[in-house]
Amino acid sequence: MKLFVQSVMFIVAVSGLLTSLSVDAKNSAKAAKLAPYQQRNFQDEIFYFVLPDRFYNGDKSNDLGAAESDAKRALSRGGLDATHKGMYHGGDLAGLTEKLSYLDNMGITAIWLTPILRNQAMQNGTSGYHGYWILDFTEIDPHLGTNADLKNFIDQAHKRNIKVFFDIITNHTADVIKYKECHGDDGLSWLFTKGNCPFKSLAQVAKGDTYTPFIIKGNETLKTPAWLNDINVYHNQGDSHWKGESAIRGDFAGLDDVDTNSEKVTQGMIDIYKAIIDEFKPDGFRIDTVKHVNTEFWQAFSPALTVHAKSLGINNFFMYGEVYSFDSKELSSFTTQAKLPSVLDFALQGAIRSTLVEQKGTDQLANLFAQDHFYQTDHADIDSTGIQNTNANQLVNFTGNHDMGRFAYFLKESKHNYSEQEQIQRNLLANAIMYFSRGVPVIYYGDEQGFVGDGGDQASRQDMMPSKVASYNDDDLLATDKTTAVDNFDTSHLFYQTFAKYAELYQQYPALRFGQQSTLYSQNKAGIFAIKRAYAVKDQTQNIIVVFNTAKKMQNLDVVLNKQSTALLYQSAENESGKIAPLSFAIYQID
Ligand SMILES: [Ca+2]
Ligand SMILES: [Ca+2]
Ligand SMILES: [Ca+2]
Ligand SMILES: [Ca+2]
């Protein structure tokens, strides 16, 4: 058991946060004149990224998925085991709907759901609780609810002025296609000891060195729409080794890799997601595995969906892609060349991690932001083509996620052996950089409750509802004595309260959402990182300076605020005049 009393005393002593942190429903960040969701810019949003299965069980009747009598959906039944981190835990759309006020009061304005379409419940011994194994692209997974439940969730979110984004996949479907050479004639065996099917290049295929793809008898019509049951609409070249040609044409660990190089398939995928927009009218999409689909596909897909959403009156429909890369040049190619409006900023995540976990110089952040110009485009005639101009202000910021793990986990694992107090401070400072740098912030569900985790993937997908997973429940959560064995919708948690405060500031000052960012100061060791956010629209100008201190020592502010007349808007710690406290930040307005 950790010394939580100590950490509370510490926070009160050095941060001064608690005095300014009272948040109630009436005085929430939302009160700050948030525009109606239909008119709101993407840069106004604060996202909450959630796996519905792990959030809250609002309907126990759907815990097993499809009904036993439902032969058509037989493979979307089962997989429930709340003690196993790779199985379904019972959370659903009804549960999310029930907990909307919890998100609303933290200042969340947009929810990104992991994929909710109907999955194959079981593959190779674990379940599709995460949603990335889709069989049916037209209906909601029965573990999560029905199409009507999703519509109700969206209606209720919209009534609170909260947007809903779906996580979508065009790269692959569930694993239904097998290769005789790998899986035997019955499709059930592994003929390779490593458990994968080595990728066969196009050059090998041209010479006749191919796999023999087939579908196990009885599985020929599992997928919807029906065209996805045709073996010829897949690449069928074996498993990706993530390099070269295989990155685009290889199977993602056996998941059937769609032939996105074909025009027919591209149009098929466009039609699938047009129909999803028609039926549910979401506010946008987060797009999975973007790096594993060819550029030409995105050049067609992205504008077509934007135009379609606009035709239905969803004028600010927005999409951002997952490109797992820490290189701004590579990331930006997906907005400038592939024509996606935005991407998740893995490069910023890497820079925050290197400064606040590894204690590298704040130059790391300055160097990253110096590459922002890569994202800038200046297309003409954007309305009729559906191609949106992109820039770094629309990037999507995060500190950790469901694949790599939580920021709290990186801190826990650090060779610097941070105390709990320091983990708390570094965590809150990392989130401040995420909120107040250019880009749109995303809270990964559970971060606001001090969740830590033992790693990435399954280890980072804890339950908000009382968990039965032993490897979750033995975690030492930050800033609370609770464990994940109990309910964790605690609106008094320091992180929840702090994120609500950050949200309030973010909505209060347009410069923190729209201001053009420039670096004022950085250094080659831990210490000051200072940015200016300059906002000028019509008759309103606002110039804000945000100063972060990533060092454990107090720093002088004269390097930043020298000769400028500024007013203090917020500080996360009490400061002596002209100084900034260790591991804290402050926001100033230039007079
Ligand atoms: Ca349920
Ligand atoms: Ca397969
Ligand atoms: Ca692919
Ligand atoms: Ca653990």
Side-chain angles (χ1 to χ4, degrees):
M1 202 65 191
K2 78 201 136 172
L3 298 170
F4 176 55
V5 173
Q6 200 188 342
S7 60
V8 168
M9 286 171 59
F10 171 81
I11 291 154
V12 172
V14 305
S15 78
L17 269 171
L18 294 179
T19 50
S20 56
L21 276 181
S22 68
V23 175
D24 60 56
K26 279 182 195 156
N27 191 26
S28 77
K30 309 285 297 285
K33 297 162 234 128
L34 195 60
Y37 72 92
Q38 300 95 329
Q39 292 149 34
R40 203 160 66 223
N41 192 288
F42 184 67
Q43 281 168 247
D44 286 316
E45 311 305 345
I46 296 168
F47 273 84
Y48 191 76
F49 168 35
V50 60
L51 281 91
D53 177 64
R54 300 298 163 92
F55 197 65
Y56 191 66
N57 193 349
D59 179 0
K60 295 212 161 33
S61 76
N62 61 21
D63 289 2
L64 284 175
E68 210 163 359
S69 55
D70 187 350
K72 179 175 174 252
R73 293 173 186 79
L75 291 188
S76 300
R77 176 174 171 78
L80 180 77
D81 180 354
T83 69
H84 188 310
K85 62 185 177 181
M87 302 294 273
Y88 286 98
H89 290 182
D92 48 36
L93 292 161
L96 267 169
T97 309
E98 224 175 300
K99 294 292 184 186
L100 276 169
S101 68
Y102 166 85
L103 301 180
D104 200 359
N105 290 339
M106 192 169 62
I108 297 301
T109 69
I111 298 168
W112 151 23
L113 306 167
T114 43
I116 48 194
L117 296 174
R118 186 161 67 81
N119 268 232
Q120 176 151 276
M122 293 295 295
Q123 277 180 202
N124 304 321
T126 64
S127 83
Y129 72 94
H130 43 68
Y132 292 98
W133 300 340
I134 300 172
L135 282 180
D136 187 334
F137 288 77
T138 65
E139 65 180 19
I140 300 313
D141 193 278
H143 295 85
L144 302 178
T146 61
N147 286 21
D149 290 333
L150 179 61
K151 286 174 195 169
N152 180 50
F153 169 68
I154 294 171
D155 281 351
Q156 297 302 317
H158 281 169
K159 275 188 186 147
R160 290 177 179 274
N161 207 11
I162 293 174
K163 293 182 184 176
V164 178
F165 282 63
F166 300 167
D167 199 331
I168 67 160
I169 309 160
T170 66
N171 179 59
H172 57 259
T173 69
D175 178 11
V176 173
I177 296 173
K178 303 291 176 185
Y179 303 118
K180 287 211 161 136
E181 293 77 4
C182 300
H183 309 112
D185 288 341
D186 61 1
L188 301 171
S189 332
W190 283 106
L191 302 185
F192 287 88
T193 48
K194 277 186 179 168
N196 66 1
C197 304
F199 183 75
K200 290 189 190 293
S201 67
L202 284 174
Q204 282 172 283
V205 171
K207 285 183 198 153
D209 179 8
T210 60
Y211 282 118
T212 314
F214 72 105
I215 295 174
I216 296 173
K217 204 165 168 23
N219 289 352
E220 296 89 347
T221 60
L222 284 181
K223 295 178 191 173
T224 309
W227 63 268
L228 287 168
N229 294 306
D230 177 358
I231 261 176
N232 297 314
V233 302
Y234 298 86
H235 284 124
N236 298 323
Q237 288 173 247
D239 283 326
S240 177
H241 53 78
W242 317 117
K243 293 207 178 74
E245 190 193 300
S246 91
I248 300 285
R249 305 181 70 96
D251 294 338
F252 200 113
L255 296 166
D256 305 347
D257 199 69
V258 177
D259 181 9
T260 50
N261 298 79
S262 129
E263 273 179 40
K264 178 187 146 198
V265 169
T266 301
Q267 193 53 50
M269 278 291 166
I270 290 171
D271 290 343
I272 282 175
Y273 287 107
K274 273 184 178 175
I276 291 286
I277 296 173
D278 287 340
E279 179 155 17
F280 300 105
K281 306 204 170 45
D283 301 289
F285 291 150
R286 176 268 190 190
I287 310 175
D288 188 56
T289 37
V290 160
K291 203 165 81 170
H292 305 300
V293 175
N294 48 304
T295 300
E296 301 76 15
F297 177 91
W298 298 123
Q299 288 170 338
F301 184 86
S302 175
L305 291 195
T306 301
V307 165
H308 186 69
K310 271 189 208 293
S311 76
L312 299 173
I314 314 171
N315 291 320
N316 290 335
F317 189 85
F318 199 86
M319 289 178 282
Y320 55 97
E322 176 216 24
V323 179
Y324 213 119
S325 164
F326 295 89
D327 173 13
S328 298
K329 201 155 207 173
E330 184 177 17
L331 286 168
S332 65
S333 70
F334 288 89
T335 66
T336 58
Q337 289 168 38
K339 309 295 183 214
L340 290 170
S342 182
V343 291
L344 284 152
D345 194 356
F346 280 80
L348 175 59
Q349 191 279 334
I352 296 175
R353 185 172 174 174
S354 86
T355 47
L356 282 170
V357 179
E358 295 158 22
Q359 302 187 18
K360 298 268 172 60
T362 59
D363 285 349
Q364 302 271 322
L365 290 160
N367 293 343
L368 168 82
F369 292 126
Q371 300 183 1
D372 278 356
H373 61 91
F374 287 145
Y375 295 92
Q376 192 76 37
T377 63
D378 193 14
H379 303 296
D381 193 23
I382 54 176
D383 278 344
S384 62
T385 60
I387 295 171
Q388 303 182 31
N389 277 317
T390 78
N391 63 69
N393 291 335
Q394 298 185 327
L395 288 172
V396 183
N397 299 352
F398 63 101
T399 63
N401 69 23
H402 62 318
D403 290 326
M404 61 170 60
R406 298 175 186 275
F407 201 77
Y409 162 72
F410 308 142
L411 287 166
K412 184 187 80 171
E413 288 301 292
S414 163
K415 64 175 187 204
H416 294 291
N417 290 315
Y418 298 122
S419 65
E420 182 180 6
Q421 296 93 311
E422 197 170 337
Q423 290 177 48
I424 290 168
Q425 277 186 304
R426 287 180 181 276
N427 211 310
L428 293 179
L429 191 57
N431 278 282
I433 295 173
M434 179 185 81
Y435 268 83
F436 303 124
S437 301
R438 97 288 182 270
V440 175
V442 179
I443 298 293
Y444 180 46
Y445 87 98
D447 278 5
E448 79 280 12
Q449 297 292 334
F451 283 14
V452 181
D454 300 323
D457 203 271
Q458 292 177 4
S460 60
R461 300 171 183 179
Q462 300 96 321
D463 301 295
M464 292 285 287
M465 54 197 169
S467 183
K468 295 191 171 76
V469 177
S471 65
Y472 296 160
N473 293 344
D474 65 4
D475 287 4
D476 198 357
L477 309 188
L478 294 176
T480 178
D481 275 341
K482 286 178 147 190
T483 70
T484 51
V486 298
D487 174 290
N488 277 285
F489 293 96
D490 180 2
T491 58
S492 70
H493 191 288
L494 173 72
F495 287 13
Y496 180 97
Q497 292 275 321
T498 304
F499 294 163
K501 181 65 199 175
Y502 290 178
E504 197 182 311
L505 292 163
Y506 182 80
Q507 300 300 355
Q508 191 174 355
Y509 301 106
L512 293 175
R513 286 170 281 138
F514 296 94
Q516 196 54 44
Q517 179 172 316
S518 52
T519 296
L520 297 179
Y521 190 84
S522 68
Q523 53 193 123
N524 63 6
K525 58 182 186 210
I528 299 265
F529 179 62
I531 52 173
K532 182 177 169 184
R533 306 286 312 268
Y535 173 77
V537 172
K538 293 175 194 155
D539 55 346
Q540 196 188 6
T541 61
Q542 190 172 71
N543 291 296
I544 279 182
I545 292 176
V546 190
V547 186
F548 305 94
N549 179 6
T550 68
K552 288 201 265 188
K553 286 192 182 136
M554 188 171 341
Q555 306 284 317
N556 286 319
L557 279 171
D558 53 3
V559 293
V560 182
L561 300 183
N562 196 19
K563 289 176 193 152
Q564 298 221 55
S565 175
T566 54
L568 177 68
L569 299 180
Y570 178 79
Q571 55 186 2
S572 70
E574 294 296 340
N575 290 314
E576 291 173 29
S577 175
K579 315 259 188 194
I580 183 160
L583 298 174
S584 79
F585 73 99
I587 305 177
Y588 302 87
Q589 184 152 13
I590 302 174
D591 292 342

